[in-house]
Amino acid sequence: MKKIALMFFWVLSFNTFAQKTQIALLKYRGGGDWYSNPTSLPNLVKFCNQSIMTDINTDIATVDAASPEIFNYPFVHATGHGNIVFDDSEVENIRNYLLAGGFLHIDDNYGIKDYAMSQMQKVFPELQWVELPYSHQIFQKPYQFPDGLPKIHEHDNKPPQAFAMIYEGRIVCLLTYECDLGDGWEDQRVHYDSEETRLKALKMGANIIQYVFSN
């Protein structure tokens, strides 16, 4: 029933007389700074609307992990540097959302990876995290990344990696690590990244958005 309701909402979202599709930032407990990178998602949406012809609301929602409002958003983004904790009600809510067709992108802003992976294992105990190969479609279109995720910021001198939980052939949760896409999406004045670096980050973000809306 929830799957039908979620799909129904998204169909309405593409109706020109309906409210535009909106994406959201996940507010979680545990002490991590979930509110990091405030300019990143608005910039990503603007880029996608201009470059891949999406029609996404440039106002970004904030949604609690346990809130039923999460079903209003086809794409939910989580970031931060520290701990993240899901209680039983949040685990159930996130699982139902993802099974209904939702998508969670977790971008490690340095320090969230291990916490996020363990909490998502509570959401999908029957699944294992897998590293996406460079041949995966998320690296192929609309922009090609033959070497996988672009390196935006240096953390521990490790290569960037994309980890995923895949349910019935569809990525339900994507974790980007040693990459820091969100920093690359931010206003240039925040991190002073080059336009070339920022463009790589935005293009990779557009690939993720296109995957969400086409699968």
Side-chain angles (χ1 to χ4, degrees), residues 96-177:
N96 287 337
Y97 162 71
L98 295 175
L99 290 179
F103 185 97
L104 176 62
H105 173 222
I106 304 170
D107 188 45
D108 184 6
N109 206 359
Y110 195 42
I112 199 176
K113 169 182 169 284
D114 291 343
Y115 299 115
M117 280 187 153
S118 67
Q119 293 303 296
M120 287 304 300
Q121 203 70 69
K122 290 163 57 178
V123 176
F124 285 103
E126 74 275 28
L127 301 182
Q128 297 297 319
W129 286 100
V130 297
E131 184 172 358
L132 294 181
Y134 298 163
S135 59
H136 193 276
Q137 69 179 92
I138 210 165
F139 299 124
Q140 305 303 319
K141 55 185 182 181
Y143 301 105
Q144 292 194 347
F145 288 87
D147 299 319
L149 291 173
K151 188 74 167 179
I152 305 304
H153 280 181
E154 189 62 68
H155 288 166
D156 291 322
N157 197 30
K158 296 178 182 178
Q161 294 174 283
F163 297 100
M165 282 188 158
I166 301 174
Y167 183 83
E168 296 185 351
R170 180 180 68 90
I171 297 174
V172 292
C173 181
L174 173 70
L175 191 150
T176 45
Y177 173 62

Side-chain angles (χ1 to χ4, degrees), residues 8-189:
F8 182 68
F9 175 86
W10 292 349
V11 169
L12 283 181
S13 296
F14 285 102
N15 188 310
T16 55
F17 298 103
Q19 184 178 356
K20 284 185 178 181
T21 300
Q22 193 174 23
I23 66 174
L25 176 67
L26 185 70
K27 182 179 180 180
Y28 56 82
R29 298 177 304 104
D33 50 343
W34 59 267
Y35 43 82
S36 298
N37 299 348
T39 65
S40 64
L41 289 179
N43 285 340
L44 176 62
V45 167
K46 291 174 187 175
F47 178 81
C48 289
N49 286 347
Q50 294 169 0
S51 65
I52 62 172
M53 303 302 114
T54 52
D55 189 22
I56 303 171
N57 194 328
T58 54
D59 292 328
I60 307 301
T62 298
V63 64
D64 288 318
S67 172
E69 294 298 316
I70 198 170
F71 287 87
N72 292 336
Y73 312 110
F75 173 93
V76 173
H77 175 81
T79 189
H81 298 82
N83 195 14
I84 177 171
V85 173
F86 297 147
D87 65 20
D88 290 346
S89 64
E90 291 165 335
V91 165
E92 181 180 10
N93 193 53
I94 293 170
R95 181 182 175 90
N96 287 337
Y97 162 71
L98 295 175
L99 290 179
F103 185 97
L104 176 62
H105 173 222
I106 304 170
D107 188 45
D108 184 6
N109 206 359
Y110 195 42
I112 199 176
K113 169 182 169 284
D114 291 343
Y115 299 115
M117 280 187 153
S118 67
Q119 293 303 296
M120 287 304 300
Q121 203 70 69
K122 290 163 57 178
V123 176
F124 285 103
E126 74 275 28
L127 301 182
Q128 297 297 319
W129 286 100
V130 297
E131 184 172 358
L132 294 181
Y134 298 163
S135 59
H136 193 276
Q137 69 179 92
I138 210 165
F139 299 124
Q140 305 303 319
K141 55 185 182 181
Y143 301 105
Q144 292 194 347
F145 288 87
D147 299 319
L149 291 173
K151 188 74 167 179
I152 305 304
H153 280 181
E154 189 62 68
H155 288 166
D156 291 322
N157 197 30
K158 296 178 182 178
Q161 294 174 283
F163 297 100
M165 282 188 158
I166 301 174
Y167 183 83
E168 296 185 351
R170 180 180 68 90
I171 297 174
V172 292
C173 181
L174 173 70
L175 191 150
T176 45
Y177 173 62
E178 281 289 330
C179 171
D180 222 336
L181 288 175
D183 276 6
W185 300 340
E186 284 234 81
D187 290 347
Q188 196 275 338
R189 59 181 172 79

